[in-house]
Amino acid sequence: MEPGAGDGAPHYNENNGYRRPGAMSPASATDAAREADRIRPVLKRLWEQKKWDPATVRVALLHLGYEEERTGSNGKPHGGTLMVRAMNSRFTDGREVTPEGALVGLRVHTDACVTAFVQKSNYEVTTNGPYPETGCFEPPSGH
């Protein structure tokens, strides 16, 4: 069995490598923590006001001075560091459901992100390195 292989499934680490964020340098981790501390009170206020739709969250965070991430026609980043989108959908009671709320990703450095969410039940702000295929956002489960 592989070290750290979760439930012991063969090739667990290999098959789930895309779900592990990259490492952050100590300086990048410090910068990411500072940005998380700026975002946290905004999301707390929105949560208390019961405002967690992506458009409202985006506007509130743009007021902190962030720029929305833009990509070129080739999919490559073209400026800006903030991404706000709907929550990930999930299969519930036989159908695909997208819960109310917003996911937030802020690229602080090439090796550092602030990742957050705000929804009806709670909000959270964390820091992490980028994921190999999905940048600041944790990829959904593969199977």
Side-chain angles (χ1 to χ4, degrees):
M1 182 161 60
E2 297 176 73
D7 63 6
H11 306 289
Y12 178 87
N13 286 329
E14 178 185 331
N15 293 341
N16 288 284
Y18 73 101
R19 294 197 57 133
R20 279 195 275 290
M24 287 188 282
S25 72
S28 292
T30 298
D31 290 349
R34 184 180 60 244
E35 296 306 322
D37 288 344
R38 292 182 69 215
I39 289 170
R40 193 171 287 107
V42 173
L43 295 187
K44 179 179 191 283
R45 175 177 50 82
L46 292 171
W47 181 73
E48 289 170 346
Q49 294 172 350
K50 300 180 179 357
K51 296 179 179 177
W52 41 73
D53 63 282
T56 300
V57 173
R58 181 180 299 109
V59 168
L61 294 176
L62 291 173
H63 280 295
L64 292 178
Y66 301 122
E67 287 185 42
E68 196 164 3
E69 183 176 80
R70 299 174 308 283
T71 53
S73 57
N74 59 359
K76 297 283 184 202
H78 200 57
T81 56
L82 176 70
M83 297 148 283
V84 180
R85 61 181 176 87
M87 300 291 281
N88 292 328
S89 63
R90 51 183 170 249
F91 203 70
T92 306
D93 296 327
R95 62 190 179 97
E96 200 72 22
V97 176
T98 302
E100 285 184 60
L103 293 174
V104 176
L106 177 71
R107 172 95 47 185
V108 179
H109 295 295
T110 56
D111 67 337
C113 295
V114 174
T115 307
F117 67 84
V118 59
Q119 61 187 4
K120 183 177 184 175
S121 58
N122 62 333
Y123 67 95
E124 183 176 67
V125 180
T126 59
T127 61
N128 54 273
Y131 293 88
E133 297 175 11
T134 56
C136 292
F137 294 112
E138 182 178 2
S141 294
H143 14 154

